[in-house]
Amino acid sequence: MQRPSWAPEEIDVDRPSAARVYDYYLGGLHNFSADRDMAARAVADWPELPRIMQANRAFLRRAVRHLAAQGIDQFLDIGSGIPTAGNVHEVAQAALGEARVVYVDIDPVAVAHARALLADDPTTGVVEADFTDPPAVLDDPVTRSLIDFSRPVGVLVVALLHFVGDDRRPGEVLARYREVMAPGSHLVLSHASADGAPEHADEHRALYRRTTTPMTMRSRDEVAGLLEGFTLVEPGIVYLPQWRPDDPSVPLENPERFTGHAAVGRRD
């Protein structure tokens, strides 16, 4: 395919990317034919996927508002993806004015677009780094200039850890981030799971093996293990739309069809 002017030269436009597929699900424009083809195959097998992705994004916004209500005014969003409407800095700054946000991603398209979008915003920054290399994230000059780890910080790993295989020891990596988080900090996590829709899991994992980031779905108990060392904020580990819905009076039928787990943990 012809390379768009916004696409960095070093990326392979013929191989789908999890970040760009997610962008497509959310209605974004920064994706390629390979990404759209993969998304179409996934939706053909699992028609509710776009709704699940949108529910994940809505959870992120609710969680950021909750943290802002606790007075947290600095956020480290790891695996932030391609900028879309309702970004963390937009939600946080709507609540707290000049909240500071650092976006971290390993995908060069996501990084390039975030940098272009945020070039004129002194309260936000963008780091190209791998979640599994905490020093690269935490010691980057951009991170250090915006985040004061002696104060509470919101660390977001939303729809990220299912792209980190067990061989890369995500629980141990999270513990390294937890060590630098001041008391009162919070971890925001969502994670894909076969719980609730096991009939779709195998084919969905097979699709993501075509990308640079294969998918590892984890059970609720496995997600709980990732949160070791954090105190769960009510309502605990739940399906995506069940985490502090905007209108709890509206009944939610069959929440398990959203499959992804959501949780927020506090660093005491």
Side-chain angles (χ1 to χ4, degrees), residues 200-241:
H200 295 300
D202 287 343
E203 185 160 348
H204 201 60
R205 284 188 286 247
L207 277 174
Y208 273 88
R209 283 196 289 271
R210 298 173 55 202
T211 76
T212 57
T213 48
M215 178 175 285
T216 301
M217 293 184 177
R218 295 185 173 95
S219 68
R220 186 186 185 281
D221 287 345
E222 289 172 314
V223 171
L226 295 172
L227 287 154
E228 184 177 352
F230 293 93
T231 300
L232 287 173
V233 172
E234 289 294 333
I237 302 171
V238 293
Y239 289 114
L240 293 165

Side-chain angles (χ1 to χ4, degrees), residues 48-99:
E48 289 199 303
L49 271 178
R51 291 186 64 196
I52 295 169
M53 303 302 178
Q54 292 156 13
N56 182 73
R57 193 71 178 181
F59 158 68
L60 178 147
R61 292 193 290 267
R62 296 195 304 276
V64 170
R65 287 196 296 268
H66 171 75
L67 268 59
Q70 311 309 304
I72 293 176
D73 62 358
Q74 49 180 4
F75 298 84
L76 182 63
D77 185 1
I78 309 175
S80 52
I82 295 172
T84 59
N87 287 324
V88 171
H89 73 281
E90 294 173 336
V91 177
Q93 290 173 3
L96 289 175
E98 292 191 359

Side-chain angles (χ1 to χ4, degrees), residues 164-178:
V164 182
D166 292 338
D167 60 315
R168 302 179 76 192
R169 302 183 180 276
E172 294 179 15
V173 177
L174 275 178
R176 295 174 67 186
Y177 287 99
R178 187 180 68 241

Side-chain angles (χ1 to χ4, degrees), residues 104-166:
V104 181
D105 209 285
I106 198 171
D107 186 290
V109 171
V111 170
H113 279 281
R115 284 175 174 161
L117 176 70
L118 304 170
D120 298 324
D121 186 344
T123 63
T124 62
V126 184
V127 173
E128 185 171 357
D130 189 332
F131 160 78
T132 62
D133 185 1
V137 175
L138 299 171
D139 297 334
D140 188 278
V142 172
T143 305
R144 287 296 176 182
S145 69
L146 288 169
I147 305 294
D148 177 2
F149 287 101
S150 70
R151 299 174 50 242
V153 59
V155 175
L156 284 66
V157 287
V158 174
L160 169 67
L161 297 180
H162 45 248
F163 297 122
V164 182
D166 292 338

